Amino acid sequence: WAATYADGHGLPIAVALDGVGSVYVGGLVCFSGGNNCDYASGDFDLFVVKYASSGAQLWSATYPNVGSDYLFDLAVGRSGSVYLTGKTCAILDTFGRCSSGVAATMKLNLSGNLLWVVKSAGMGAGHALALDNAENVHVAGWACPSLDLESCAYSYSSYATKYDSNGAVLYEVPLAVYYLWPTDIAVDATSNVYVTGAGETCDACDADFAVIKLAANGGQLWTGVIPKFGEDTPTNIAVDGFGNIF
């Protein structure tokens, strides 16, 4: 089967399945129509659509905000709740365009209704999200203490955050690579966390494949960087039941 969503401009970004084969698709959508959609002007909102395993649409929801938002990843828990991470606009300039965005992680209930949102204090974005067996939420991304773009140009840092299923922060730790742009996250059966991304080991170095392993309490266990010629960016990471990393 094939399904379409929205009579407008849409960009699907992430997909997940639940235990009964239902399909969840999330991304950006603009209902202005024609060529009137402009991300910088705040025309795009987050959307999530749930399809049955047959392809029938069960529900859809959008989450409007002042300025455009961006979804990077989503996951579905055993409870059927849906978790999203990305960024949301925090400040509009004098032309009504978003000048500063903050990291945002959200939880939706079984019907797609918003239960909670947690946001970073400064500029940032959640880039990857995974759930453990207790439905704790693990997010990797980047953040800066300030909402000022120029101040954040060289002062951002990558991080991993663990929330419980109610959105309370259990830990937030920096990821110790000189510069790291996280792209994916995975959690094993004992809640160890694995983050991958493009990492630089010095100021003038090219980005290489980087992997960081964290313990269940957020302590950093080890860091691995695979040096190659030129710029390299991993896009996905997975871990099997034996702790092997792919």
Side-chain angles (χ1 to χ4, degrees), residues 3-135:
T4 59
Y5 167 72
D7 183 17
H9 292 274
L11 176 65
I13 296 172
V15 63
L17 304 176
D18 64 19
V20 296
S22 299
V23 183
Y24 301 76
V25 179
L28 308 179
V29 66
C30 170
F31 293 107
S32 295
N35 297 316
N36 298 323
C37 293
D38 179 18
Y39 183 82
S41 297
D43 295 332
F44 284 87
D45 295 313
L46 300 185
F47 78 86
V48 177
V49 185
K50 179 180 180 180
Y51 300 98
S53 58
S54 64
Q57 183 175 309
L58 300 178
W59 53 257
S60 66
T62 58
Y63 307 95
N65 182 50
V66 176
S68 289
D69 303 316
Y70 203 92
L71 173 71
F72 282 100
D73 205 1
L74 66 81
V76 183
R78 294 179 178 180
S79 66
S81 299
V82 184
Y83 300 84
L84 319 173
T85 196
K87 67 177 181 179
T88 187
C89 185
I91 298 176
L92 296 178
D93 63 19
T94 55
F95 300 100
R97 294 171 175 258
C98 187
S99 62
S100 183
V102 297
T105 299
M106 307 162 57
K107 180 180 180 179
L108 316 178
N109 69 8
L110 293 168
S111 302
N113 298 312
L114 181 63
L115 296 179
W116 51 257
V117 182
V118 288
K119 300 178 181 179
S120 61
M123 290 184 68
H127 279 202
L129 182 150
L131 305 177
D132 62 25
N133 291 332
E135 209 161 305

Side-chain angles (χ1 to χ4, degrees), residues 103-191:
T105 299
M106 307 162 57
K107 180 180 180 179
L108 316 178
N109 69 8
L110 293 168
S111 302
N113 298 312
L114 181 63
L115 296 179
W116 51 257
V117 182
V118 288
K119 300 178 181 179
S120 61
M123 290 184 68
H127 279 202
L129 182 150
L131 305 177
D132 62 25
N133 291 332
E135 209 161 305
N136 296 309
V137 186
H138 300 261
V139 175
W142 68 272
C144 169
S146 172
L147 288 172
D148 179 67
L149 181 60
E150 291 186 7
S151 299
C152 288
Y154 298 101
S155 62
Y156 73 88
S157 59
S158 56
Y159 67 89
T161 305
K162 179 179 180 179
Y163 305 96
D164 68 16
S165 59
N166 295 313
V169 176
L170 301 180
Y171 68 67
E172 182 167 288
V173 295
L175 298 174
V177 173
Y178 187 79
Y179 280 123
L180 178 70
W181 192 257
T183 55
D184 203 13
I185 189 170
V187 186
D188 67 20
T190 58
S191 295

